Amino acid sequence: MSDVKLGVNLDHIATLRQARMISNPDPIEAARVALTSGADMIVMHIRGDRRHMQEEDLERMRKEVRCFIHLEMAANDEMRNIALKHKPDSVCIVPEKPGELTTEGGLNLKDKSMVKEVEKTIKALSDKGIEVSLFLDPNADDIRTGYKIGADTVELCTKAYSESWGKKNQAKELERLWIASYLVKELNMNLHSGHGLDYYNVRPVAQIEGMECLNIGFSIISRAVFVGLKTAVSQMKEIIG
């Protein structure tokens, strides 16, 4: 068995549901399938524009499914209040930009106003026993700032790695992830990764020393269209093992 946990992001189950604004497909039902197929935790991102997951999804997930819930959210008053109300097991603070198709990279911790909001969010959630992760590019300065403001976990953004073409470029981006992972572990923080990981590029990231959890959504849901969610999750779990 692998020591690397698999967090399955079900946002795009909700995306499909929202296309018709009806009750199916139900993320709660999808969570049960994922958990019985190898998922270690359920990941959901409540965005400001509510394009997929809704607050009601988090509320139902907390009440109806016995599982570890990992909420992705921006650092603002609205999302802090949602997290404090429904108490997910952990939260990953991610950047959001109006109109973006998906998260475009890690938090900009060179922005002092961003750092202030993130630090405020970390304190509010940590005081209630909620583990807090920061979605960061593999950048030493950002990782050190995340440590200083009290984050428990760093989720390294694997966007550059996942989108790199050719063995040379991919090896360069993988090396950046390795170097960043050494710093995360040196600071005694938890180490996660995610963004753009799929069935063809995930194994080298899973093999990074100290890697504890990979959060993967789009590629799993995409494969599920053809093979079913149970098979898609179990295949991913087998690869990272």
Side-chain angles (χ1 to χ4, degrees), residues 77-226:
D77 289 337
E78 179 190 25
M79 292 302 157
R80 277 191 292 271
N81 290 337
I82 288 173
L84 292 171
K85 179 179 178 181
H86 299 294
K87 295 183 174 61
D89 298 284
S90 61
V91 161
C92 183
I93 302 173
V94 301
E96 281 186 26
K97 295 178 184 176
E100 65 182 5
L101 291 176
T102 184
T103 306
E104 296 178 352
L107 291 161
N108 178 14
L109 296 187
K110 295 173 181 63
D111 181 338
K112 291 183 179 179
S113 62
M114 170 67 75
V115 171
K116 185 178 179 181
E117 282 300 304
V118 171
E119 188 170 21
K120 181 179 176 181
T121 304
I122 291 172
K123 185 176 188 318
L125 300 180
S126 295
D127 285 350
K128 297 298 181 181
I130 299 171
E131 179 185 317
V132 184
S133 170
L134 301 184
F135 189 66
L136 301 177
D137 293 318
N139 175 294
D141 289 341
D142 289 341
I143 292 168
R144 289 193 181 97
T145 299
Y147 170 76
K148 289 175 184 175
I149 62 178
D152 303 295
T153 302
V154 169
E155 179 172 342
L156 294 175
C157 175
T158 51
K159 182 178 189 290
Y161 165 78
S162 299
E163 295 179 357
S164 60
W165 284 89
K167 291 183 177 179
K168 200 170 186 179
N169 290 331
Q170 195 169 59
K172 180 182 176 182
E173 293 301 333
L174 184 63
E175 183 180 24
R176 288 183 66 212
L177 292 169
W178 268 93
I179 292 169
S181 73
Y182 289 139
L183 177 57
V184 173
K185 299 313 290 185
E186 190 177 289
L187 294 171
N188 202 29
M189 302 171 79
N190 302 316
L191 176 65
H192 297 184
S193 285
H195 195 89
L197 296 175
D198 61 30
Y199 295 82
Y200 307 100
N201 63 27
V202 70
R203 193 188 296 274
V205 178
Q207 292 173 338
I208 291 174
E209 187 176 343
M211 188 62 64
E212 295 167 75
C213 183
L214 300 178
N215 295 317
I216 305 172
F218 189 77
S219 65
I220 291 176
I221 304 307
S222 297
R223 178 163 290 203
V225 172
F226 300 100

Side-chain angles (χ1 to χ4, degrees), residues 54-92:
Q54 310 297 308
E55 183 178 350
E56 293 79 10
D57 294 318
L58 175 58
E59 182 178 16
R60 288 184 58 216
M61 196 74 73
R62 182 80 289 172
K63 290 179 179 178
E64 299 177 27
V65 184
R66 292 174 63 100
C67 69
F68 191 101
I69 299 173
H70 183 65
L71 176 66
E72 296 178 344
M73 58 174 244
N76 57 47
D77 289 337
E78 179 190 25
M79 292 302 157
R80 277 191 292 271
N81 290 337
I82 288 173
L84 292 171
K85 179 179 178 181
H86 299 294
K87 295 183 174 61
D89 298 284
S90 61
V91 161
C92 183

